[in-house]
């Protein structure tokens, strides 16, 4: 059986890896949709879909999860929520159950006739993309919230400088 998890993963953090490990206790294979794939270079969505694929692939390898257990598929947003489930299904291998902590994702897949499971959150106060990005901006410890392979990818792409530059850009746009 195959399960689906969709997330923006801006960036990939330890909470995502915990939930993926948990899903793989219940299903044979997990499809991981990289949501809002078209977005990058904003404070809320700083990283490209390709960079997020890289982070996730390296982190899954670091955690010892074999490549035969997952599919990583970038998924762009669509303007109409009512057709999003069909759009996701067009892009992904077939799946039975959906895992999501996001109420809109849960609602859309339930209405589409899918079995939806709400996985437990692991230390959500710390393990959240918002917290990681905030700490990057404030120069605080964010490294401990992400797998070390994700830290290396963010170093490689100079991700912290990008976020800091984006603050300057967005402040200038307000002026
Ligand atoms: P996210 O990266 O915040 O979270 C993804 C999932 O990871 C969550 O549902 C949760 O199950 C898990 N998770 C996150 N932190 C965790 C933690 N600490 N412990 C355990 N699990 C944790 O992403 P998201 O915002 O839920 O992503 C939804 C995506 O779906 C977005 O890209 C959104 O745009 C897309 N979407 C698009 C449409 C559309 O295009 N019309 C409609 C609905 C949703």
């Amino acid at each position: 059986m195959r399960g689906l998890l969709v997330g923006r993963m801006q960036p990939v953090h330890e909470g995502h890896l915990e939930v993926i490990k948990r899903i793989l206790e219940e299903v044979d294979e997990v499809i991981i949709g990289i949501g809002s794939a078209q977005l990058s270079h904003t404070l809320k969505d700083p990283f490209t879909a390709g960079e997020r694929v890289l982070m996730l692939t390296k982190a899954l390898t670091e955690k010892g999860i074999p490549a035969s257990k997952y599919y990583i598929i970038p998924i762009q947003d669509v303007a109409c929520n009512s057709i999003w489930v069909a759009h996701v299904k067009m892009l992904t291998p077939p799946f039975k159950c959906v895992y999501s902590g996001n109420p809109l994702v849960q609602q859309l897949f339930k209405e589409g006739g899918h079995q939806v499971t709400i996985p437990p959150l692991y230390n959500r106060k710390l393990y959240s993309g918002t917290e990681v990005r905030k700490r990057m901006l404030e120069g605080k410890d964010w490294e401990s919230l992400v797998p070390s392979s994700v830290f290396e990818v963010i170093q490689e792409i100079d991700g912290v400088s990008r976020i800091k530059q984006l603050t300057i850009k967005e402040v200038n746009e307000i002026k």
Side-chain angles (χ1 to χ4, degrees):
M1 192 164 67
R2 241 168 264 120
L4 171 77
L5 173 78
V6 182
R8 280 172 39 242
M9 318 220 176
Q10 286 285 9
V12 173
H13 56 66
E14 292 286 4
H16 294 125
L17 273 301
E18 282 302 317
V19 81
I20 291 166
K21 279 196 266 177
R22 161 99 187 210
I23 293 170
L24 280 172
E25 288 170 10
E26 292 182 9
V27 296
D28 306 308
E29 296 176 348
V30 61
I31 301 157
I32 308 164
I34 305 276
S36 305
Q38 80 284 7
L39 298 180
S40 73
H41 294 82
T42 68
L43 280 177
K44 191 176 167 214
D45 292 282
F47 304 114
T48 67
E51 288 163 347
R52 289 176 275 158
V53 168
L54 186 61
M55 291 176 202
L56 194 52
T57 311
K58 301 252 183 213
L60 289 164
T61 304
E62 179 185 334
K63 301 290 178 186
I65 300 171
S68 58
K69 301 296 275 181
Y70 58 83
Y71 305 87
I72 303 175
I73 318 270
I75 300 172
Q76 297 199 10
D77 292 330
V78 291
C80 307
N81 284 331
S82 59
I83 61 162
W84 183 65
V85 168
H87 169 71
V88 172
K89 286 166 82 170
M90 176 187 75
L91 296 169
T92 55
F95 56 88
K96 277 236 151 46
C97 39
V98 176
Y99 295 83
S100 180
N102 179 313
L104 177 61
V105 173
Q106 291 161 12
Q107 185 181 354
L108 295 176
F109 276 105
K110 269 188 200 156
E111 287 180 11
H114 284 271
Q115 180 194 316
V116 176
T117 301
I118 306 173
L121 287 172
Y122 301 92
N123 207 345
R124 180 65 174 163
K125 249 181 135 179
L126 286 182
Y127 296 153
S128 90
T130 308
E131 180 66 21
V132 177
R133 297 191 306 274
K134 184 168 160 275
R135 289 182 179 209
M136 285 173 166
L137 271 177
E138 292 172 350
K140 293 190 180 148
D141 162 50
W142 58 272
E143 296 92 321
S144 60
L145 310 185
V146 304
S148 50
S149 49
V150 172
F151 171 72
E152 282 165 23
V153 171
I154 292 173
Q155 294 285 88
E156 178 192 333
I157 62 176
D158 210 1
V160 176
S161 303
R162 180 186 300 172
I163 288 192
K164 289 185 174 161
Q165 275 298 117
L166 287 167
T167 319
I168 298 165
K169 178 178 158 281
E170 293 191 14
V171 166
N172 283 339
E173 279 168 3
I174 294 168
K175 282 180 191 166

